[in-house]
């Protein structure tokens, strides 16, 4: 059985949020659970390593719909490095 989930929402991030994402990536690289965007002003992400090559990702829309979606993902082995590179692009755009 498969279930399709579709949705969209605006997320505004601050420079502090970007710093928190950098710290979250460091924790994920160590195989640890992280939670990001916990302020209550926007959606919240939780990422938990489940087994080698598998992460559980939950997205909770607390401020609006109260909907939570959780899925297992099978990211590429270099996904954290890819996220770090994307973070740097966002930081460069953020200060422009």
């Amino acid at each position: 059985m498969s279930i399709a989930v579709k949705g969209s929402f605006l997320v505004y991030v601050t420079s502090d949020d970007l710093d928190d994402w950098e710290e979250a990536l460091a924790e994920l690289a160590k195989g640890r659970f992280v939670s990001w965007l916990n302020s209550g002003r926007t959606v919240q992400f939780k990422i938990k390593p489940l087994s080698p090559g598998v992460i559980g990702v939950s997205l909770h829309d607390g401020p609006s719909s109260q909907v939570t979606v959780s899925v297992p993902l099978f990211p590429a082995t270099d996904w954290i490095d890819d996220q770090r590179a994307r973070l740097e692009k966002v930081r460069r755009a953020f200060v422009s």
Side-chain angles (χ1 to χ4, degrees):
M1 178 172 85
S2 67
I3 298 173
V5 176
K6 183 177 181 180
S8 64
F9 47 86
L10 292 175
V11 175
Y12 298 96
V13 295
T14 66
S15 60
D16 288 340
D17 294 330
L18 298 179
D19 292 342
D20 292 345
W21 182 236
E22 183 174 20
E23 291 173 19
L25 290 172
E27 292 300 305
L28 285 166
K30 297 174 188 173
R32 296 184 180 146
F33 165 86
V34 300
S35 184
W36 182 57
L37 294 177
N38 302 323
S39 68
R41 65 177 164 73
T42 188
V43 297
Q44 178 184 29
F45 293 88
K46 294 181 180 180
I47 304 171
K48 180 179 182 180
L50 300 175
S51 62
V54 183
I55 58 174
V57 177
S58 293
L59 172 69
H60 177 66
D61 180 19
S64 180
S65 68
Q66 296 295 313
V67 169
T68 299
V69 175
S70 298
V71 295
L73 296 179
F74 306 86
T77 55
D78 65 343
W79 75 276
I80 293 176
D81 290 335
D82 178 61
Q83 286 295 305
R84 286 180 174 139
R86 291 171 186 264
L87 174 60
E88 286 310 309
K89 286 181 183 179
V90 171
R91 284 188 192 277
R92 286 193 299 271
F94 205 76
V95 296
S96 298

